[in-house]
Amino acid sequence: MALKSGEEYIESIRSLGLSAHVMGQSEQDLTRHPLVNPSIRAVAATYDLAGSPDEETRSLFQTESNLCDVTVNRFTHLHQSNQDLVNKVLMQRRCGNETACCFQRCVGMDAANAVFSVTFECDQKHGTEYHQRFREYWQRVQQEDLVVDGAMTDPKGDRGKRPKDQADPDLFLRVVERRSDGIVVRGAKFHQTGMLNSHEIMVMPTLAMRAGEEDWAVCFATPTNAQGIRYIYGRQASDTRKLEPSKLDVGNPVFGGQEVMTVFEDVFVPQERVFLDGEIDFSGQLVERFAAYHRQSYGGCKVGVGDVLIGATALIAQMNGVDKAGHIREKIVEMIHLNKTLFACGVACSAQGHPTPAGNYEIDLLLANVCKLNVTRFPYEIARLATDVAGGLLDTMPSAKDLDDPVTGPYIRKYLKAAESVDVVDRMKVLRLIENLVAGAGAVAYLIESMHGAGPPAAQRIMIGRQANLEGKMGLVRRLLGIGS
Amino acid sequence: MALKSGEEYIESIRSLGLSAHVMGQSEQDLTRHPLVNPSIRAVAATYDLAGSPDEETRSLFQTESNLCDVTVNRFTHLHQSNQDLVNKVLMQRRCGNETACCFQRCVGMDAANAVFSVTFECDQKHGTEYHQRFREYWQRVQQEDLVVDGAMTDPKGDRGKRPKDQADPDLFLRVVERRSDGIVVRGAKFHQTGMLNSHEIMVMPTLAMRAGEEDWAVCFATPTNAQGIRYIYGRQASDTRKLEPSKLDVGNPVFGGQEVMTVFEDVFVPQERVFLDGEIDFSGQLVERFAAYHRQSYGGCKVGVGDVLIGATALIAQMNGVDKAGHIREKIVEMIHLNKTLFACGVACSAQGHPTPAGNYEIDLLLANVCKLNVTRFPYEIARLATDVAGGLLDTMPSAKDLDDPVTGPYIRKYLKAAESVDVVDRMKVLRLIENLVAGAGAVAYLIESMHGAGPPAAQRIMIGRQANLEGKMGLVRRLLGIGS
Amino acid sequence: MALKSGEEYIESIRSLGLSAHVMGQSEQDLTRHPLVNPSIRAVAATYDLAGSPDEETRSLFQTESNLCDVTVNRFTHLHQSNQDLVNKVLMQRRCGNETACCFQRCVGMDAANAVFSVTFECDQKHGTEYHQRFREYWQRVQQEDLVVDGAMTDPKGDRGKRPKDQADPDLFLRVVERRSDGIVVRGAKFHQTGMLNSHEIMVMPTLAMRAGEEDWAVCFATPTNAQGIRYIYGRQASDTRKLEPSKLDVGNPVFGGQEVMTVFEDVFVPQERVFLDGEIDFSGQLVERFAAYHRQSYGGCKVGVGDVLIGATALIAQMNGVDKAGHIREKIVEMIHLNKTLFACGVACSAQGHPTPAGNYEIDLLLANVCKLNVTRFPYEIARLATDVAGGLLDTMPSAKDLDDPVTGPYIRKYLKAAESVDVVDRMKVLRLIENLVAGAGAVAYLIESMHGAGPPAAQRIMIGRQANLEGKMGLVRRLLGIGS
Amino acid sequence: MALKSGEEYIESIRSLGLSAHVMGQSEQDLTRHPLVNPSIRAVAATYDLAGSPDEETRSLFQTESNLCDVTVNRFTHLHQSNQDLVNKVLMQRRCGNETACCFQRCVGMDAANAVFSVTFECDQKHGTEYHQRFREYWQRVQQEDLVVDGAMTDPKGDRGKRPKDQADPDLFLRVVERRSDGIVVRGAKFHQTGMLNSHEIMVMPTLAMRAGEEDWAVCFATPTNAQGIRYIYGRQASDTRKLEPSKLDVGNPVFGGQEVMTVFEDVFVPQERVFLDGEIDFSGQLVERFAAYHRQSYGGCKVGVGDVLIGATALIAQMNGVDKAGHIREKIVEMIHLNKTLFACGVACSAQGHPTPAGNYEIDLLLANVCKLNVTRFPYEIARLATDVAGGLLDTMPSAKDLDDPVTGPYIRKYLKAAESVDVVDRMKVLRLIENLVAGAGAVAYLIESMHGAGPPAAQRIMIGRQANLEGKMGLVRRLLGIGS
């Protein structure tokens, strides 16, 4: 049986012996580090849900591999149908519901589905053998139920210059040496979500490379504990509340996210893990497909987090005794409407998917970009409405330490009392959860990542313009009006 | 073969001998009346597309009946799968693409699918035999490839009062007499889209009736030429341009819409055409289901019209020589994005559909309402952007008569000249088409009907609030925070 | 006494003997033409209000000239203080309140204030004598209380080419001959609001001219009945309803707007009426200043029309018996909020005005552009909300002819009955007024002109970017952070 | 000379010997506490700017008292003209420009102007002598150039119940004892911005009290160090970054905000400091007027912060080398447009102000509410656009400690390098400043306070509905259409 439990998964990460720089310290046992632990627990949820006692949940998270005869976690699945694509979205929404944060495991799934089809087409054209290599590699990922980080974003340096024209060529990750048994790479990848909770890294180029940029057109996999890789932990809003004794002020008492700056200092990658090396004509396609899968993902995960924020908003309204007020109800309906519109986009790009030449299923590219472009907007309005309903305490509430203080505690309990049946500390917990999502560590995933994850809005707009068949629409007009082209 | 051609269809309507009051005149041959003719041509397109020489088109519009062994036009189909539901949306979009207006035939399709399942459930509970009646009735509709108008909206009188409390009880359509062989009804239905292009009318109640309102809880079918029915034609913006000699100023030179106020002056309905009579507990369900199917519809038809408006906007930008300007491109991308978001909602509520106890498929009710609520917003923004790109000529251009005038014509041709390769009259046609859709007869369907068709936004918001399982979302929060209910 | 009554004004226009092509006919007595008459009545309101028996109204519309010792209508005033600028906005709002349409007289006022200061500065630099000429010219305008049309927008031809590079050089209005006693001009001006209700035309260039384009850098005044000028009437949505016997279906039973395409066929302009001729370095300034004054204007006139639309929406809600519903109230509050935001922008750019070197007052350029940019957005949302509240009858109501018909009239009266105390025809009138403003002839001014009048949004955005002192804002950041430039 | 320097001010606060509970500790020298110090420095800026060497700045911040013959800081001024009201907004904008945060001193100014006129009217009606008391009290405030906190928001308990019906009557602050020499009060005030940086507190009721609620209708002033007052410090997002050794990660290296929960434990207030005690008919007026002045304030202060955010966004775009990209420029123009719309509202409600019976000037109530309602929206969109332009590093950048680390520092410097001329640390500073404002401590003031400060949006909507003269607007329609009331 391939599937791990959450606990087994955490143990497997621990055994990798990863180290990272976290807030100026070199840390060794990251899984137990209070800044990191909430994030690995969020990934562990993707394992525990796959092993849920609930039949329906299990059937959403478990599926059958097309590579080998084994039941796999859908997070390692190569989609075999439109229903698979829809189920991916439903699974992601469910994970968002459970964790109220980024659970980090989508990137590898999205990378794999892109690499699977792009390598197939590259082999067809260039006679390379990347696809078979990838199948073998991914079979192991499925069998061992691994977490794979997908690494795309390069530092980029001066945005006005191409990779090959940068003052420092390492500002885009590149091959610095080609050996008979593999390649040596140097560079960095930014914003690596959940990197330290991953067994493997799948590296992809960050943009479509051109002639003369073959060294930057590289795709490969490497273990996270490979020699030469360094990790520097990224800061999040209110991150150090996780280091405080009480979990109250963190808002989300269990789960959290993680982003890491990753440096590749002449890392060796053996040949069998290289999936693109110099085929510039497929670099753009890889970026575009990975991005589209990942833009679909946001129609699931952010919707799941949105559900929690809507629930918290409804709950605080109830606790404040204003849940019957017309304008409160209207705001909550609006939050639901926006969140469901995102969900609709996630589902639609899946339902309108199609098989690739390699056999796995790809979402509708245009609709996936529409999905993500909405994700760069609606969570902001949902958060704004949550802020409206939650009230001013959101940002002025005393600390958990003051709640526990013998002098101030009684005052806090006296004056934060709302409706009679409502426990004061429960009310504070809900307010802190909302704060977490609209202006704390959770906002990093719910708002800022909604903007930039899988590419910023400008990237989606370019794709929408390119995919929209404007010529066809002009043709409709010409025909209706009986005018020439 | 059950399927009619567009021409046969028009002939079949003509043979009904319908008459109506149009602008103060009693008109007899409506199909040839210049105000009415564009609307019947739009319905005829639903026939012609089903008989298209193009295989793909045909397979979208034709499908197999579940009632009898015959190929039917999808507009008379009882949906048998989620794919059927998606295909309905694709078909509607296609019709919008062809006609750039309301093609009127959806209402009956949506009514039939609602009546089919509601009568089944009513029979289960009350031992009535409506479902079998309806199956027989609808079988004939399929076999004869008829257009059925779905009539829901009553005049409503004083909105602060229930049907039974109105000063005039006829302000909601009602049964005024029950006879052994049928019922006699009186009242009116407003906003009847395409009524005069229909063979049949399916009447439904306008809201959930309560005890004491049994007479208003009535659903039945009647031929449009039944005795006692009167039609009064509704006005549209710029409607009389259709009466002018040139088609240029109309904007849409071929197709158009139609709304009719319909009066039922003691109309007799035989028993076998009655599908609900007094079962108040199913009246609300019928409203809700019909509305949901019809809200899904808007995710197809308005998207199709939106495509045309986007195409016309791109075309006028090209004709004006500004299609390369960054801000113009951004606006067109935004129009596409909004239109595709509507499409995504139409697809998503279909893909997430489910079978009813009666066996036909129903859309996801929540997502269908989300779909329509977006339709009450985005077409307005799309139209605003089209107005922006099209330029001020939209509302100041001289008349077609002045173009044809020997004195003014040459000036118009000289000064409306834009990019060299562009024919002046072609440019005027495109501007008039845009005007038609943002401020003319087409705006009635594209904007005002987008607001009120299938119910106004407040109705969708109520459904969204009701369907959203807010309690479940609050439960997610309670579990995450470990707090009591 | 310089001030005319409305009736005297109409008579004075009639005596000009203007003729125009209207819908393919050459019309002579335009003031009595049913298509034109509503528009001249709207201008007449600017006269009647200045002679109002109400003291407060009079003091808003009357003021003292700075050119000569005479009381003038503020519509011919050269602003002498910030309060004058604010009063201009208040006056415009008031006119909108009275007419619910475009009252057309602002353009000349805005042109005069721009020409006044630009000619002063041009004379300073170039030793020309335009300013004195203009003072003398305008003194007469004030003394005779004239309406001056401001004409800016050229046909523009291929937008990708400069005036001098057009295939037809007349596509921008230009000097074709310079004589000792004056100049001869050829070309056309589009979208001329209220042209046929004006005594005079002030022609300005449409953009900043460059070296080699001296012939296009021309500003002058001419009587509307000068030889060689031709007028072709523009169409508006639902325009011909004004030709129907009943005023009900027009919506606005008294007032309306007008746009005219104007052709200058070698028109001679005597020297004393020329205010710029070849000074390309002041052409851009003239465009920019006129545009800014005119962008301020929209913060008054459209707000006034908005007030009427809000009032009509509140009234129909009351008539329908839904004015107490929470969501209806919220929508009306939102309409007010948006409308008042526009008003705030109109007031603010006035209150922050400053004197020009010539001595009259100029609005804050940045805020005037912000004002207009909001005008390209909020009226659309206000109209959308009005459509929402008004209900579906807006676009499906039978014609006035059917109301008067002995057969259909009684049905219409029976079934359009709403709350008991409400007269059915009054209700129809309010619905038709709303229709007029959101999808009829009134929408031309309220929506389309809000987009393109005084330049489209892209023009405002350019000015906002240019005026915003971004460098200063970056300086704030550098100082706060202690970083170098 | 009445005016203090910033340093003198800080010293004067220090000498009050205030103590507070901060994160579970009782702290004594708050002015030097690293969590508190940035906030007192922000207030000090209001002093230093009044003593600026720059003439123009001084003349904005200094003005002449109407109470006594002394030059005062405008923050203690009773407005004497519309220009005073406009200058208030300009001054606030300037403070926001300098501090990029909440400078806390407006509340007292707004409270004083409300209390000044309300006490006058109360005395007129009830023969009380509050106004004279207040004049004397405020004269001292002006002469000593004090900071006065304005305290309005009560805990409110169960929002479904009136003050007198709460389980705990202290949930609204109230008089618990009336003595010959004064009153004793008990209760709490929440969200007290800058309380610990104030010399005095002005307490006002939180809503319009009704018969039977006389004990809650109380307004008075008290020194911040009066016996019985307790302070509990509120948490802000990322607050503890202020405790870290480097200022880099804080974002705003100098200034910050502060909110405090304040408990009144049987505090005695001498008679001469009581300005309302039981006159329930003036409690609502006090709330409404204070709120309106404070809603005006947001049209200044938030605009000032917005300027900084726009500057930072433009700067990071430049540093990233993307400032020339069309879509970046469009986004920055949009930010300016929105920010300037807020400014326009602040200016307009000032320019349209009017004198009160007491002689000071009051803003236009309706426009002030419109101003604030926009402030609950536009900063969110501005922040969203800043997030878009700034890029993903905003939330994933390593800590200052890692920058200083010998191992990781060089990697950070290598890979965060952007355009060649840009210092890496400068770039990090700008990113951290943006993070501060969109998702850090600065967002508390810029976003959450923009929502709830001076009342949430629902409060503004109620006032807009109430002030809008809807009846007058309906009258315009009735007159135009010639219909009865």
Side-chain angles (χ1 to χ4, degrees), chain B residues 109-253:
Chain B
M109 164 176 56
D110 293 335
N113 275 280
V115 173
F116 186 79
S117 69
V118 169
T119 50
F120 183 89
E121 292 165 43
C122 180
D123 289 1
Q124 296 277 73
K125 180 167 172 197
H126 293 297
T128 44
E129 47 193 41
Y130 298 133
H131 186 67
Q132 187 52 37
R133 281 186 198 166
F134 178 75
R135 293 179 79 100
E136 281 160 27
Y137 170 70
W138 199 254
Q139 201 166 321
R140 188 173 71 79
V141 168
Q142 289 187 334
Q143 282 165 342
E144 301 183 12
D145 200 10
L146 302 180
V147 176
V148 181
D149 175 272
M152 178 163 275
T153 312
D154 288 294
K156 294 201 198 85
D158 184 336
R159 271 77 177 155
K161 292 181 176 166
R162 295 287 312 172
K164 69 180 168 48
D165 301 326
Q166 298 288 332
D168 178 351
D170 303 341
L171 285 166
F172 288 76
L173 188 144
R174 64 186 177 120
V175 179
V176 290
E177 191 189 346
R178 286 192 178 80
R179 307 196 327 215
S180 60
D181 57 343
I183 58 177
V184 178
V185 298
R186 190 189 302 151
K189 292 289 181 178
F190 278 6
H191 324 312
Q192 289 310 300
T193 304
M195 178 70 104
L196 299 173
N197 302 328
S198 303
H199 306 85
E200 292 276 326
I201 310 170
M202 175 77 64
V203 171
M204 297 166 283
T206 208
L207 48 74
M209 298 299 164
R210 300 183 188 161
E213 297 174 338
E214 285 74 11
D215 290 347
W216 291 269
V218 62
C219 172
F220 61 87
T222 178
T224 45
N225 61 357
Q227 198 172 1
I229 303 184
R230 277 186 188 281
Y231 301 106
I232 312 175
Y233 212 71
R235 292 211 76 166
Q236 297 190 329
S238 297
D239 44 10
T240 54
R241 293 196 190 180
K242 292 174 188 164
L243 308 177
E244 298 177 6
S246 164
K247 287 299 164 215
L248 176 54
D249 290 356
V250 179
N252 187 328

Side-chain angles (χ1 to χ4, degrees), chain B residues 191 376 384 387 395-396 452, chain C residues 191 244 376 384 387 396 444 452:
Chain B
H191 324 312
T376 70
R384 196 185 73 85
T387 303
D395 68 337
T396 69
H452 290 290
Chain C
H191 323 312
E244 299 177 6
T376 68
R384 196 185 72 86
T387 303
T396 69
V444 173
H452 289 291

Side-chain angles (χ1 to χ4, degrees), chain C residues 172-192:
Chain C
F172 289 75
L173 188 145
R174 64 187 179 119
V175 180
V176 290
E177 190 187 348
R178 287 194 177 76
R179 308 200 320 220
S180 60
D181 56 344
I183 58 177
V184 178
V185 298
R186 191 189 303 147
K189 292 287 182 181
F190 278 5
H191 323 312
Q192 289 310 299

Side-chain angles (χ1 to χ4, degrees), chain D residues 205-227:
Chain D
T206 209
L207 50 74
M209 297 299 164
R210 300 182 188 163
E213 297 175 338
E214 286 74 12
D215 290 347
W216 289 272
V218 62
C219 173
F220 61 87
T222 178
T224 44
N225 62 359
Q227 199 170 1

Side-chain angles (χ1 to χ4, degrees), chain D residues 352-424:
Chain D
Q352 294 289 92
H354 56 270
T356 69
N360 66 338
Y361 270 65
E362 187 174 65
I363 61 288
D364 182 280
L365 287 185
L366 175 50
L367 290 177
N369 279 282
V370 166
C371 177
K372 175 65 210 312
L373 189 52
N374 281 323
V375 173
T376 68
R377 300 175 177 181
F378 295 170
Y380 285 81
E381 179 63 6
I382 294 170
R384 195 185 72 86
L385 290 166
T387 303
D388 182 352
V389 175
L393 266 179
L394 207 62
D395 68 336
T396 70
M397 200 158 56
S399 68
K401 285 177 182 160
D402 286 312
L403 177 67
D404 295 339
D405 183 89
V407 175
T408 51
Y411 287 118
I412 294 174
R413 285 171 196 275
K414 174 183 171 77
Y415 285 115
L416 283 182
K417 186 77 189 165
E420 206 138 346
S421 61
V422 178
D423 181 84
V424 167

Side-chain angles (χ1 to χ4, degrees), chain A residues 13 54 63 74 110 126 129 216-217 251 314 405:
Chain A
I13 292 292
D54 175 53
T63 187
R74 188 178 296 282
D110 293 335
H126 293 296
E129 49 193 40
W216 289 271
D405 182 89

